[in-house]
Amino acid sequence: QSVLTQPPSVSAAPGQKVTISCSGSSSNIGNNYVSWYQQLPGTAPKLLIYDNNKRPSGIPDRFSGSKSGTSATLGITGLQTGDEADYYCGTWDSSLSALVFGGGTKLTVL
Amino acid sequence: QLQLQESGPGLVKPSETLSLTCTVSGGSISSSSYYWGWIRQPPGKGLEWIGSIYYSGSTYYNPSLKSRVTISVDTSKNQFSLKLSSVTAADTAVYYCARRAVTTSIDYWGQGTLVTVSS
């Protein structure tokens, strides 16, 4: 059971928009920065969003992040088949003194 | 470009100690802005943080693994290492070494190495 809660799967058609939610508590998302990671099949995770809503160099602006209270959201617009992957949210949990992740969301681009 | 590379045995016997080393190239492990750590992913499952170390030697461990984990750093070799004792089949996973920013985002990952616990 993950500390952060994500939907197991989401799907949408190419060109459409999808959002992935990440729910936590005041000890983690509520008081710490959230990051998002993309994991393509058979590869290491890749940082997509850091500090709630910032994109590392090279990440297209189709990817966006937001945070409100104890929840965070990853948005992906203009979906491409190459976006099919597992997506994870992560943050620090001040009560556990541990880095915690969501259980992951599998994105299918139909 | 910073690169991280894990190395170590791919097969460990139950009750023994898993040992992995991460070699950092293209940058210094002594940077004051980052932590260096380990994350694992059991086959078909999600990510689990194991722990992190600062170049000074300060360590931070996942409470659920703390009694079995030791992370150390060798700045002269630009490497850091993981030891996980008393392993069981539940410790079978892909182990990633990674660089973590102060604000907790993990911006560089190794390619990962599969460690199987089996007799």
Side-chain angles (χ1 to χ4, degrees):
Chain A
Q1 194 78 349
S2 301
V3 173
L4 305 179
T5 301
Q6 297 181 235
S9 64
V10 295
S11 62
Q16 296 300 303
K17 173 183 177 178
V18 71
T19 60
I20 298 173
S21 61
C22 177
S23 178
S25 68
S26 58
S27 66
N28 43 66
I29 291 178
N31 285 285
N32 293 288
Y33 286 113
V34 177
S35 304
W36 288 91
Y37 305 89
Q38 177 193 60
Q39 187 175 34
L40 297 170
T43 69
K46 172 184 175 182
L47 181 64
L48 278 183
I49 298 290
Y50 68 99
D51 294 359
N52 302 332
N53 55 18
K54 298 182 175 65
R55 283 177 287 105
S57 174
I59 300 299
D61 59 7
R62 299 189 299 109
F63 295 90
S64 64
S66 63
K67 187 180 98 167
S68 178
T70 59
S71 293
T73 302
L74 173 69
I76 311 173
T77 60
L79 278 171
Q80 303 172 1
T81 55
D83 295 332
E84 286 202 334
D86 293 323
Y87 292 84
Y88 294 90
C89 57
T91 187
W92 185 258
D93 190 296
S94 304
S95 294
L96 298 173
S97 292
L99 189 63
V100 293
F101 294 98
T105 299
K106 183 175 183 60
L107 169 63
T108 301
V109 181
L110 302 169
Chain B
Q1 178 76 347
L2 191 76
Q3 291 187 321
L4 292 82
Q5 179 67 57
E6 305 90 351
S7 59
L11 180 64
V12 181
K13 290 182 169 55
S15 81
E16 295 190 345
T17 296
L18 178 160
S19 297
L20 295 174
T21 295
C22 182
T23 300
V24 179
S25 59
S28 173
I29 204 169
S30 298
S31 171
S32 60
S33 302
Y34 301 100
Y35 296 82
W36 306 88
W38 295 90
I39 294 142
R40 70 180 183 179
Q41 185 172 35
K45 296 188 178 180
L47 303 170
E48 180 180 34
W49 176 71
I50 299 171
S52 302
I53 190 166
Y54 198 52
Y55 76 97
S56 62
S58 299
T59 51
Y60 308 84
Y61 298 138
N62 187 324
S64 68
L65 299 169
K66 188 174 183 177
S67 64
R68 300 193 292 130
V69 173
T70 302
I71 297 176
S72 58
V73 64
D74 187 335
T75 55
S76 66
K77 294 182 179 179
N78 229 30
Q79 294 177 334
F80 60 102
S81 299
L82 167 70
K83 291 188 185 300
L84 181 65
S85 64
S86 305
V87 297
T88 69
D91 294 309
T92 294
V94 174
Y95 285 75
Y96 297 100
C97 63
R99 187 181 85 167
R100 177 170 78 85
V102 172
T103 54
T104 77
S105 62
I106 302 168
D107 57 356
Y108 284 93
W109 298 69
Q111 65 181 26
T113 186
L114 175 63
V115 179
T116 301
V117 178
S118 175
S119 55

